[in-house]
Structure formats: C-alpha cells, structure tokens
mmCIF file of all heavy atoms in Angstrom:
data_model
loop_
_atom_site.group_PDB
_atom_site.id
_atom_site.type_symbol
_atom_site.label_atom_id
_atom_site.label_comp_id
_atom_site.label_asym_id
_atom_site.label_seq_id
_atom_site.Cartn_x
_atom_site.Cartn_y
_atom_site.Cartn_z
ATOM 1 N N GLY A 1 -9.823 -0.898 -1.139
ATOM 2 C CA GLY A 1 -8.713 -1.748 -1.569
ATOM 3 C C GLY A 1 -8.352 -2.726 -0.467
ATOM 4 O O GLY A 1 -8.098 -2.337 0.663
ATOM 5 N N ARG A 2 -8.344 -3.969 -0.754
ATOM 6 C CA ARG A 2 -8.021 -4.996 0.239
ATOM 7 C C ARG A 2 -6.697 -5.642 -0.117
ATOM 8 O O ARG A 2 -6.303 -5.682 -1.287
ATOM 9 C CB ARG A 2 -9.113 -6.063 0.282
ATOM 10 C CG ARG A 2 -10.453 -5.537 0.701
ATOM 11 C CD ARG A 2 -10.477 -5.240 2.177
ATOM 12 N NE ARG A 2 -11.777 -4.700 2.558
ATOM 13 C CZ ARG A 2 -11.942 -3.867 3.551
ATOM 14 N NH1 ARG A 2 -10.937 -3.472 4.273
ATOM 15 N NH2 ARG A 2 -13.128 -3.429 3.850
ATOM 16 N N SER A 3 -6.059 -6.193 0.873
ATOM 17 C CA SER A 3 -4.780 -6.863 0.659
ATOM 18 C C SER A 3 -4.986 -8.135 -0.140
ATOM 19 O O SER A 3 -5.901 -8.900 0.128
ATOM 20 C CB SER A 3 -4.151 -7.200 2.012
ATOM 21 O OG SER A 3 -3.007 -7.969 1.844
ATOM 22 N N THR A 4 -4.132 -8.367 -1.130
ATOM 23 C CA THR A 4 -4.229 -9.579 -1.938
ATOM 24 C C THR A 4 -3.439 -10.720 -1.333
ATOM 25 O O THR A 4 -3.442 -11.816 -1.846
ATOM 26 C CB THR A 4 -3.715 -9.313 -3.363
ATOM 27 O OG1 THR A 4 -2.363 -8.856 -3.270
ATOM 28 C CG2 THR A 4 -4.577 -8.302 -4.071
ATOM 29 N N SER A 5 -2.757 -10.440 -0.237
ATOM 30 C CA SER A 5 -1.937 -11.485 0.372
ATOM 31 C C SER A 5 -2.749 -12.448 1.219
ATOM 32 O O SER A 5 -2.223 -13.437 1.694
ATOM 33 C CB SER A 5 -0.833 -10.858 1.238
ATOM 34 O OG SER A 5 -1.416 -10.135 2.295
ATOM 35 N N GLY A 6 -4.025 -12.152 1.430
ATOM 36 C CA GLY A 6 -4.864 -13.044 2.220
ATOM 37 C C GLY A 6 -4.528 -12.977 3.692
ATOM 38 O O GLY A 6 -4.711 -13.926 4.415
ATOM 39 N N GLY A 7 -4.035 -11.864 4.154
ATOM 40 C CA GLY A 7 -3.629 -11.733 5.545
ATOM 41 C C GLY A 7 -4.744 -11.265 6.427
ATOM 42 O O GLY A 7 -4.581 -10.338 7.200
ATOM 43 N N GLY A 8 -5.931 -11.834 6.306
ATOM 44 C CA GLY A 8 -7.033 -11.482 7.187
ATOM 45 C C GLY A 8 -7.831 -10.295 6.701
ATOM 46 O O GLY A 8 -8.600 -9.725 7.441
ATOM 47 N N GLY A 9 -7.644 -9.851 5.462
ATOM 48 C CA GLY A 9 -8.429 -8.760 4.905
ATOM 49 C C GLY A 9 -8.055 -7.414 5.470
ATOM 50 O O GLY A 9 -8.926 -6.609 5.745
ATOM 51 N N GLU A 10 -6.789 -7.147 5.680
ATOM 52 C CA GLU A 10 -6.361 -5.849 6.166
ATOM 53 C C GLU A 10 -6.601 -4.803 5.083
ATOM 54 O O GLU A 10 -6.494 -5.095 3.902
ATOM 55 C CB GLU A 10 -4.862 -5.856 6.486
ATOM 56 C CG GLU A 10 -4.505 -6.575 7.746
ATOM 57 C CD GLU A 10 -3.025 -6.420 8.036
ATOM 58 O OE1 GLU A 10 -2.418 -5.462 7.558
ATOM 59 O OE2 GLU A 10 -2.506 -7.278 8.742
ATOM 60 N N PRO A 11 -6.901 -3.592 5.482
ATOM 61 C CA PRO A 11 -7.060 -2.540 4.492
ATOM 62 C C PRO A 11 -5.735 -2.286 3.785
ATOM 63 O O PRO A 11 -4.670 -2.413 4.369
ATOM 64 C CB PRO A 11 -7.478 -1.311 5.300
ATOM 65 C CG PRO A 11 -7.815 -1.799 6.654
ATOM 66 C CD PRO A 11 -7.218 -3.137 6.819
ATOM 67 N N ALA A 12 -5.820 -1.896 2.537
ATOM 68 C CA ALA A 12 -4.624 -1.660 1.739
ATOM 69 C C ALA A 12 -3.972 -0.325 2.074
ATOM 70 O O ALA A 12 -2.968 0.021 1.487
ATOM 71 C CB ALA A 12 -4.969 -1.723 0.263
ATOM 72 N N ALA A 13 -4.541 0.453 2.983
ATOM 73 C CA ALA A 13 -3.973 1.745 3.328
ATOM 74 C C ALA A 13 -2.559 1.591 3.880
ATOM 75 O O ALA A 13 -1.725 2.454 3.701
ATOM 76 C CB ALA A 13 -4.850 2.449 4.356
ATOM 77 N N ARG A 14 -2.272 0.499 4.530
ATOM 78 C CA ARG A 14 -0.939 0.270 5.064
ATOM 79 C C ARG A 14 0.052 -0.122 3.975
ATOM 80 O O ARG A 14 1.238 -0.047 4.164
ATOM 81 C CB ARG A 14 -0.972 -0.833 6.112
ATOM 82 C CG ARG A 14 -1.742 -0.456 7.336
ATOM 83 C CD ARG A 14 -1.689 -1.555 8.350
ATOM 84 N NE ARG A 14 -2.523 -1.214 9.486
ATOM 85 C CZ ARG A 14 -2.849 -2.047 10.427
ATOM 86 N NH1 ARG A 14 -2.447 -3.295 10.384
ATOM 87 N NH2 ARG A 14 -3.597 -1.669 11.429
ATOM 88 N N GLU A 15 -0.475 -0.562 2.837
ATOM 89 C CA GLU A 15 0.389 -1.028 1.771
ATOM 90 C C GLU A 15 0.627 0.025 0.705
ATOM 91 O O GLU A 15 1.333 -0.221 -0.250
ATOM 92 C CB GLU A 15 -0.212 -2.294 1.143
ATOM 93 C CG GLU A 15 -0.275 -3.443 2.111
ATOM 94 C CD GLU A 15 -0.884 -4.670 1.480
ATOM 95 O OE1 GLU A 15 -1.014 -4.723 0.254
ATOM 96 O OE2 GLU A 15 -1.229 -5.580 2.244
ATOM 97 N N TRP A 16 0.013 1.208 0.827
ATOM 98 C CA TRP A 16 0.167 2.266 -0.157
ATOM 99 C C TRP A 16 0.805 3.473 0.494
ATOM 100 O O TRP A 16 0.605 3.749 1.667
ATOM 101 C CB TRP A 16 -1.194 2.652 -0.739
ATOM 102 C CG TRP A 16 -1.813 1.541 -1.527
ATOM 103 C CD1 TRP A 16 -2.663 0.600 -1.058
ATOM 104 C CD2 TRP A 16 -1.583 1.244 -2.894
ATOM 105 N NE1 TRP A 16 -2.999 -0.272 -2.057
ATOM 106 C CE2 TRP A 16 -2.351 0.104 -3.206
ATOM 107 C CE3 TRP A 16 -0.827 1.833 -3.903
ATOM 108 C CZ2 TRP A 16 -2.363 -0.458 -4.470
ATOM 109 C CZ3 TRP A 16 -0.854 1.284 -5.160
ATOM 110 C CH2 TRP A 16 -1.609 0.150 -5.434
ATOM 111 N N GLU A 17 1.566 4.223 -0.316
ATOM 112 C CA GLU A 17 2.147 5.456 0.196
ATOM 113 C C GLU A 17 2.062 6.533 -0.870
ATOM 114 O O GLU A 17 2.042 6.236 -2.068
ATOM 115 C CB GLU A 17 3.597 5.248 0.633
ATOM 116 C CG GLU A 17 4.564 4.935 -0.486
ATOM 117 C CD GLU A 17 6.001 4.796 -0.016
ATOM 118 O OE1 GLU A 17 6.423 5.597 0.825
ATOM 119 O OE2 GLU A 17 6.674 3.885 -0.504
ATOM 120 N N LEU A 18 2.006 7.760 -0.433
ATOM 121 C CA LEU A 18 1.929 8.895 -1.331
ATOM 122 C C LEU A 18 3.318 9.500 -1.443
ATOM 123 O O LEU A 18 3.885 9.963 -0.448
ATOM 124 C CB LEU A 18 0.935 9.927 -0.784
ATOM 125 C CG LEU A 18 0.608 11.098 -1.682
ATOM 126 C CD1 LEU A 18 -0.047 10.611 -2.971
ATOM 127 C CD2 LEU A 18 -0.323 12.056 -0.963
ATOM 128 N N ARG A 19 3.878 9.471 -2.636
ATOM 129 C CA ARG A 19 5.218 10.012 -2.866
ATOM 130 C C ARG A 19 5.172 11.534 -2.934
ATOM 131 O O ARG A 19 4.100 12.117 -3.173
ATOM 132 C CB ARG A 19 5.786 9.445 -4.176
ATOM 133 C CG ARG A 19 6.072 7.960 -4.129
ATOM 134 C CD ARG A 19 7.480 7.739 -3.616
ATOM 135 N NE ARG A 19 7.753 6.339 -3.343
ATOM 136 C CZ ARG A 19 8.310 5.496 -4.207
ATOM 137 N NH1 ARG A 19 8.647 5.900 -5.407
ATOM 138 N NH2 ARG A 19 8.545 4.255 -3.846
ATOM 139 N N PRO A 20 6.309 12.220 -2.741
ATOM 140 C CA PRO A 20 6.309 13.691 -2.768
ATOM 141 C C PRO A 20 5.762 14.284 -4.061
ATOM 142 O O PRO A 20 5.167 15.343 -4.050
ATOM 143 C CB PRO A 20 7.786 14.047 -2.596
ATOM 144 C CG PRO A 20 8.366 12.888 -1.873
ATOM 145 C CD PRO A 20 7.601 11.688 -2.345
ATOM 146 N N GLY A 21 5.907 13.614 -5.178
ATOM 147 C CA GLY A 21 5.384 14.130 -6.448
ATOM 148 C C GLY A 21 3.877 13.956 -6.582
ATOM 149 O O GLY A 21 3.290 14.353 -7.572
ATOM 150 N N GLY A 22 3.240 13.321 -5.598
ATOM 151 C CA GLY A 22 1.807 13.112 -5.635
ATOM 152 C C GLY A 22 1.412 11.754 -6.185
ATOM 153 O O GLY A 22 0.230 11.467 -6.345
ATOM 154 N N MET A 23 2.384 10.907 -6.484
ATOM 155 C CA MET A 23 2.080 9.594 -7.038
ATOM 156 C C MET A 23 1.766 8.622 -5.909
ATOM 157 O O MET A 23 2.485 8.566 -4.912
ATOM 158 C CB MET A 23 3.273 9.075 -7.850
ATOM 159 C CG MET A 23 2.991 7.775 -8.568
ATOM 160 S SD MET A 23 4.407 7.178 -9.490
ATOM 161 C CE MET A 23 4.545 8.417 -10.740
ATOM 162 N N LEU A 24 0.699 7.867 -6.084
ATOM 163 C CA LEU A 24 0.304 6.864 -5.114
ATOM 164 C C LEU A 24 0.919 5.530 -5.526
ATOM 165 O O LEU A 24 0.660 5.035 -6.616
ATOM 166 C CB LEU A 24 -1.225 6.755 -5.061
ATOM 167 C CG LEU A 24 -1.800 5.874 -3.969
ATOM 168 C CD1 LEU A 24 -1.502 6.475 -2.604
ATOM 169 C CD2 LEU A 24 -3.294 5.711 -4.155
ATOM 170 N N VAL A 25 1.789 4.966 -4.667
ATOM 171 C CA VAL A 25 2.501 3.729 -5.016
ATOM 172 C C VAL A 25 2.381 2.729 -3.880
ATOM 173 O O VAL A 25 2.124 3.095 -2.736
ATOM 174 C CB VAL A 25 4.007 3.984 -5.315
ATOM 175 C CG1 VAL A 25 4.169 4.824 -6.555
ATOM 176 C CG2 VAL A 25 4.691 4.612 -4.129
ATOM 177 N N GLN A 26 2.586 1.471 -4.220
ATOM 178 C CA GLN A 26 2.544 0.425 -3.208
ATOM 179 C C GLN A 26 3.846 0.455 -2.420
ATOM 180 O O GLN A 26 4.928 0.599 -2.983
ATOM 181 C CB GLN A 26 2.380 -0.935 -3.878
ATOM 182 C CG GLN A 26 2.087 -2.039 -2.918
ATOM 183 C CD GLN A 26 1.760 -3.340 -3.644
ATOM 184 O OE1 GLN A 26 1.893 -3.433 -4.857
ATOM 185 N NE2 GLN A 26 1.335 -4.324 -2.896
ATOM 186 N N LYS A 27 3.750 0.311 -1.095
ATOM 187 C CA LYS A 27 4.940 0.300 -0.253
ATOM 188 C C LYS A 27 5.756 -0.949 -0.526
ATOM 189 O O LYS A 27 5.206 -2.021 -0.761
ATOM 190 C CB LYS A 27 4.568 0.336 1.232
ATOM 191 C CG LYS A 27 4.173 1.675 1.729
ATOM 192 C CD LYS A 27 4.008 1.650 3.231
ATOM 193 C CE LYS A 27 3.599 3.003 3.754
ATOM 194 N NZ LYS A 27 3.421 2.982 5.189
ATOM 195 N N ARG A 28 7.070 -0.799 -0.476
ATOM 196 C CA ARG A 28 7.957 -1.937 -0.682
ATOM 197 C C ARG A 28 8.333 -2.540 0.656
ATOM 198 O O ARG A 28 8.590 -1.828 1.616
ATOM 199 C CB ARG A 28 9.220 -1.492 -1.401
ATOM 200 C CG ARG A 28 8.930 -0.989 -2.793
ATOM 201 C CD ARG A 28 10.169 -0.788 -3.536
ATOM 202 N NE ARG A 28 10.648 -2.105 -3.940
ATOM 203 C CZ ARG A 28 11.806 -2.312 -4.505
ATOM 204 N NH1 ARG A 28 12.612 -1.318 -4.727
ATOM 205 N NH2 ARG A 28 12.181 -3.529 -4.853
ATOM 206 N N ASN A 29 8.360 -3.828 0.692
ATOM 207 C CA ASN A 29 8.793 -4.549 1.875
ATOM 208 C C ASN A 29 10.302 -4.740 1.748
ATOM 209 O O ASN A 29 10.761 -5.325 0.767
ATOM 210 C CB ASN A 29 8.072 -5.896 1.959
ATOM 211 C CG ASN A 29 8.378 -6.635 3.225
ATOM 212 O OD1 ASN A 29 9.150 -6.175 4.053
ATOM 213 N ND2 ASN A 29 7.763 -7.791 3.381
#
C-alpha cells in the first residue's frame, strides 16, 4: 500500500492503524 498523497512514495504503514476490535483503519490527521 502506497500513500496516495504523492509524498515521495512513503509506505502506507504509517497511515494505517489497528483498532482494539481488530479493524484496520486509516489514521486521522
């Protein structure tokens, strides 16, 4: 998963988080 913001192709791992219920969601800025 790559960032869609065009910020140099950073991995999307920084933009996703795992919630306590096990749901994978995008981090909010």
